[in-house]
Amino acid sequence: MAPQYAPSLRSRLPLVAFLLETIFLLLFVIFVKIEQHEQFGRESASKLFISSYAEFQDVHVMIFMGFGFLATFLVRYGFSGSGFNVLLAAMAIQWAVLINGFLQQHHIREIHINMKSVIEAELCAASALVAMGAVHGKANPVQLLLMALVEVTGFVVTQWILRALFNADPVYSIMLLHVFGALFGVMVSWVLHREGIKPEHEKEKTDRKTGLFAMFGTLFLWMFWPSFNSALVRDYRWDGGLKLTVIYGTYLSLAVSVVMAMSVSMLTSSKGKMNMVHVQSSALSGGVAIGVAMTAVHAPWIAMTIGFCAALLSALGYRYMKNHMLFAFECHDTCGVLSVHAIPGILGWFAHLFLRLASNESTIAVQFAVYHICVLLITACMSLVMGTATGLFLKWSIWRPQQDRKCFDDQAFWEVNGFVHLHQFK
């Protein structure tokens, strides 16, 4: 007879967490220093800090509140969805600060931490949270923690390769986080596939209360996504007008995607009604797509068109692709990250390519097309290979994965007395 309870992680999670935090602490003691701004005037430094800190807070809210609330859509996985989001984000940010510093500041043998480096670290953590969505409810916190660290490592190394070999724009390369995270997570989910959740797990459901909390997460993400896309723009070589263009374009793209998400959800429903889960996800697809294409978008109608197409593809993909992927490839994508992040991200890549080709001469256009295609291929290949390898690593029984019937269930990891009482009354 199978055991009634999920395997205890007492000998796994505390040990792994303590070990990683000890290593991080030692590395911060040895290498990390706070950057000083003595070379700037007091007034200019104060203005820079206020602007940077406001954007940092916006991104911070998105990472911890936006993604955290959005992950609570399952009926019996609210504690785990929000709690594991905080755990992964907190750990991934620390590791991203270190590995970004090691690769970008290796010539000075010190890591100077500033507001820009922290924002970059949070964007890297966002990529890990996107990947987590594909295995949402099917992996224990130890597996998720290790997966997040490997994903952040792979994403940062990919950025370093793109910048070193192709001199890729830093803002453009980091906004490929949606494509990298989604493909990485889907490959991990494919390797960790469970027959017990096919065709649909009995606990993979949502209700009014969890749907409302998840909608709060969507609203936090939707409101602050312009800051997410524009936070790093001013730090590079573009003129100051691009930052406002990115903010306006992101907002308009998001606005169009909301309307399209609700329309397509109702249009494709057999009952002619909207699906809250579809709307929560597809309403954000415009922000994903415009984030990849933003450096080439200079007209409001272009941003709105990108949002229109992104929401259309995302909503259709979420409605039909998830079940077909499970049937054809035995790949279960819990949060539909392939439809919500990968497809809009690739759409933004195509939009960026076409807009640049239209504005360049033929010779330069060919060179840019080759460069642009190589950037996407390297990103996709790195995410697919590292996702597969990570899935094989996490499949080891040493990490004590829960049984199939304990998937999507808080009771496997949390003290949830309410569930016990409910069972007693049945």
Side-chain angles (χ1 to χ4, degrees), residues 301-312:
W301 70 268
I302 297 177
M304 296 172 73
T305 303
I306 292 173
F308 180 97
C309 296
L312 178 64

Side-chain angles (χ1 to χ4, degrees), residues 313-362:
L313 293 176
S314 178
L316 291 174
Y318 206 103
R319 173 71 75 177
Y320 301 112
M321 186 180 295
K322 182 178 178 179
N323 292 333
H324 284 81
M325 283 183 59
L326 181 60
F327 175 77
F329 303 106
E330 294 189 335
C331 180
H332 182 271
D333 181 4
T334 307
C335 297
V337 296
L338 197 63
S339 301
V340 179
H341 294 273
I343 292 178
I346 295 174
L347 173 67
W349 175 87
F350 273 110
H352 189 275
L353 174 62
F354 292 146
L355 291 171
R356 289 295 189 191
L357 292 180
S359 62
N360 289 328
E361 298 178 357
S362 57

Side-chain angles (χ1 to χ4, degrees), residues 15 17 32 73 85 111 123 188 215 224 228 247 267 305-306 319 330 362 372 416:
L15 178 63
V32 179
F73 69 98
N85 179 88
I111 299 173
L123 295 179
V188 173
M215 193 62 188
F224 294 115
F228 186 86
I247 293 173
L267 185 65
T305 303
I306 292 173
R319 173 71 75 177
E330 294 189 335
S362 57
H372 204 62
V416 189

